[in-house]
Amino acid sequence: MSHSIRWRIAVPYMVLILIATLGLTLYLSNQVRRVRLADLESQLVAHARLLADDLAPSLSQRMDGQTFDALARRWADLLHARVTIIAADGRVLGDSHEDPARMENHLNRPEVQQALAEGQGTAIRHSATLGYDMMYGAVPVQDAAHGRVIGFVRVALSVQDIEAGIRRLRQGVVVSGLITALVGGLLALVIAERTVRPIRWLTRAADRIAQGDLKPHLVASRRDEVGQLTGAFQRMAEQLREKMSVLAEERGRLAAVLEHMADGVLITDEEGRVELVNAAAGRLLGITEEEALGRSVGQVVLQHQIIELWQRCRDLGEEQQDTVEMSHRNLFVQAIVTPFQQDEAHGFLVILQDLTRIRRLETVRRDFIANISHELRTPLAGLKALVDTLRGGALQDPPAAKRFLNRMDAEVNALTQMVEELLELSRIESGQVPLRLVPTPVASVIGPPVNWLRPQAESAQLKLSVLLPPDLPPVLADVERAQKVVTNLVHNAIKFTPPGGSVVVSAEAAGREVVVSVKDTGIGIAAEDLPRIFERFYKADRMRSGGGTGLGLAIARHIVQGHGGRIWVESVEGKGSTFYFSLPLA
Ligand code: ADP
């Protein structure tokens, strides 16, 4: 409370008023006493003179003590004062309040001495006779004829009344001073309170701002300095609010960018504690934001190469980058660690770019080229050998030359087929020739390919049959392409089924699609090959695939997926395989 401005204003006021009152009391009482005493003095002297004139004849006649005593008492009654009549030698002749016989010689009393010397004398003294302070006024009584001093008259009055009056005056002044001090103090409190109230509002508003509440609360209703302060404060809060909203907006934008960018971003402080991690970084590192924040970079990253990169960056103070294979998460990332120092913020920025997809594509492309080269090399080497043989003399042997030419023709056909299939595959993959989807009866998709391949099945001593329910709904398909799928599947079934086996092509409606299946009793596919047989150039059994390119199933898969359908296989090695694919209903 004592620290409040109110009291700091009110207390000095009260002290000032009290000091002023005290001073005033002292000054006033002294002044009044002086005036009253002076009045009393002149009154006593005047009375004494009057008495002296009256007593002069009696004193010169040397009348007896009894008479003077009676005179003194009479005058005392008249003047309401003590009257003493003193002989010239100091003997007390009469006194209104005391027996003169018992009174000592008064010649040495100061007022008597002064009267003797100056013609009048006064003194204030405690009267032992009466028991209180008295003022004495004395004058000499002179012989009218010779001017000789024949005695003294002394009149005395109590100064008690004056003292009492002064006490009353003092009390009055002190009481009114106290009241004034109290009222003044209260007034000061009220004024201080009025002055301080807006400051308190300001304080409260400042507290609220400090707590983040930036809504406007203040109205500068006054025109004085406090009003100006409130106004200035308001403007400051306004600007702060604007700045904060700009900052919040920027922060929001930044957060959105960070959250939606594909690259992982991680910010650590100088000690390596993670301060920020975006969703992509969380995904790449397999950690949530809550788990990562506040932990060390080592605990969060769990990948020694990236941790070393961070340490190198910290030690050298330079940007470091490296490609890192995160084998435990099957990922391949480019990690960049940069030190940053912007205004107050120091730390390290770790950027993780996911290169897994690009890497995979690169691998696929490399494999693809390697596969093509490999696939082309075998038939080309065969052709080369045949040409060499012909040139080496076989031309001179017409039946042998014919045989060689037939084999060359077969090799060229195989090459042509492969090139065509590759072209087809790349056309489908690049979407150059869009599918022409039309409602088509399932029989038109299955019938023609089966008929083309029937001679091949017969020569392979296989039973090829088709099972179609009569009320099968039409499908939405590009007929030629859909036929190609069936051709590839049936062709494979014939190729991989030993003589005496059977191949059954059937179809049935299932929900919003028709599922076509090609079932054989052939050699089947090993479990480890099953997931890969739809890849380009993949051949499960190179020895027995008999001149296949490994592209047939890849093409089939692309075509089926282009129709919005699925393709899959079930197979038991040594017992046979069933390939399924689905086409949507028209
Ligand atoms: P290919 O031209 O070699 O037949 P595909 O892509 O059509 O190429 O087939 C890939 C591989 O899948 C084949 O080499 C073969 O090993 C396996 N395969 C395909 N169909 C069958 C089937 N009906 N029975 C057994 N294996 C099959």
Side-chain angles (χ1 to χ4, degrees), residues 336-349:
I336 305 165
V337 187
T338 319
F340 68 89
Q341 184 166 10
Q342 208 149 44
D343 302 334
E344 302 292 298
H346 303 254
F348 298 94
L349 175 68

Side-chain angles (χ1 to χ4, degrees), residues 16 26 30 54 87 153 162 198 230 294 299 305 333 445 466 479 497 512 521 532 544 557 570 585:
L16 197 71
L26 282 176
N30 281 346
D54 187 57
V153 177
I162 294 177
T230 314
Q299 288 171 307
Q305 281 159 286
V333 298
V445 173
V466 176
V479 187
T497 306
R512 301 206 45 75
T521 55
R532 300 197 57 194
R544 285 195 277 179
R557 186 188 63 172
E570 287 168 2
L585 291 184

Side-chain angles (χ1 to χ4, degrees), residues 375-376 379-380 383 410-420:
E375 294 299 327
L376 289 174
L380 285 175
L383 274 175
E411 293 288 3
V412 170
N413 279 345
L415 271 174
T416 311
Q417 192 205 337
M418 193 203 295
V419 171
E420 263 167 18

Side-chain angles (χ1 to χ4, degrees), residues 163-410:
E163 292 298 344
I166 284 168
R167 256 201 308 283
R168 270 198 306 282
L169 181 78
R170 269 188 197 159
Q171 275 166 4
V173 176
V174 165
V175 168
S176 60
L178 280 177
I179 291 172
T180 314
L182 208 68
V183 172
L186 282 177
L187 210 64
L189 272 183
V190 170
I191 292 169
E193 170 64 28
R194 283 187 51 118
T195 315
V196 164
R197 200 179 300 150
I199 296 176
R200 262 209 302 273
W201 290 338
L202 279 178
T203 312
R204 239 175 281 146
D207 278 344
R208 271 200 297 265
I209 288 174
Q211 281 159 15
D213 175 7
L214 287 172
K215 284 194 288 303
H217 296 293
L218 296 165
V219 189
S221 55
R222 294 158 55 150
R223 293 166 147 262
D224 58 4
E225 288 86 340
V226 175
Q228 287 166 6
L229 177 64
T230 314
F233 192 84
Q234 233 172 325
R235 284 192 294 280
M236 187 195 76
E238 192 67 39
Q239 279 181 0
L240 205 63
R241 191 161 53 241
E242 269 166 33
K243 291 240 162 67
M244 295 283 274
S245 74
V246 168
L247 271 179
E249 222 170 274
E250 265 172 25
R251 224 187 122 87
R253 270 201 289 264
L254 196 69
V257 168
L258 275 175
E259 221 34 47
H260 294 105
M261 70 191 283
D263 291 348
V265 174
L266 199 114
I267 289 178
T268 76
D269 64 8
E270 283 166 313
E271 272 82 51
R273 255 190 307 279
V274 174
E275 289 180 331
L276 183 146
V277 57
N278 74 346
R283 261 196 315 278
L284 287 173
L285 299 169
I287 196 165
T288 64
E289 191 179 345
E290 293 85 71
E291 286 167 344
L293 290 183
R295 297 256 206 99
S296 77
V297 67
Q299 288 171 307
V300 171
V301 174
L302 296 176
Q303 176 71 37
H304 71 95
Q305 281 159 286
I306 300 179
I307 299 169
E308 278 165 20
L309 213 60
W310 184 89
Q311 285 167 341
R312 213 162 47 235
C313 175
R314 182 198 54 192
D315 296 342
L316 302 176
E318 285 170 3
E319 180 178 306
Q320 303 290 324
Q321 54 174 299
D322 203 355
T323 42
V324 178
E325 193 172 353
M326 301 171 77
S327 45
H328 61 294
R329 296 187 51 76
N330 217 345
L331 289 172
F332 196 78
V333 298
Q334 160 108 334
I336 305 165
V337 187
T338 319
F340 68 89
Q341 184 166 10
Q342 208 149 44
D343 302 334
E344 302 292 298
H346 303 254
F348 298 94
L349 175 68
V350 182
I351 293 177
L352 303 172
Q353 293 168 332
D354 187 0
L355 302 182
T356 316
R357 234 177 79 85
I358 296 169
R359 249 301 256 241
R360 215 170 274 157
L361 284 176
E362 262 172 21
T363 317
V364 167
R365 206 181 54 210
R366 239 193 343 260
D367 289 356
F368 185 61
I369 290 167
N371 282 332
I372 291 182
S373 322
H374 182 78
E375 294 299 327
L376 289 174
R377 208 164 52 208
T378 320
L380 285 175
L383 274 175
K384 173 85 177 135
L386 290 166
V387 169
D388 285 349
T389 320
L390 280 176
R391 200 187 275 141
L395 265 179
Q396 272 71 44
D397 176 0
K402 200 173 173 205
R403 230 178 26 251
F404 284 135
L405 275 179
N406 281 342
R407 278 176 58 191
M408 284 169 79
D409 190 36

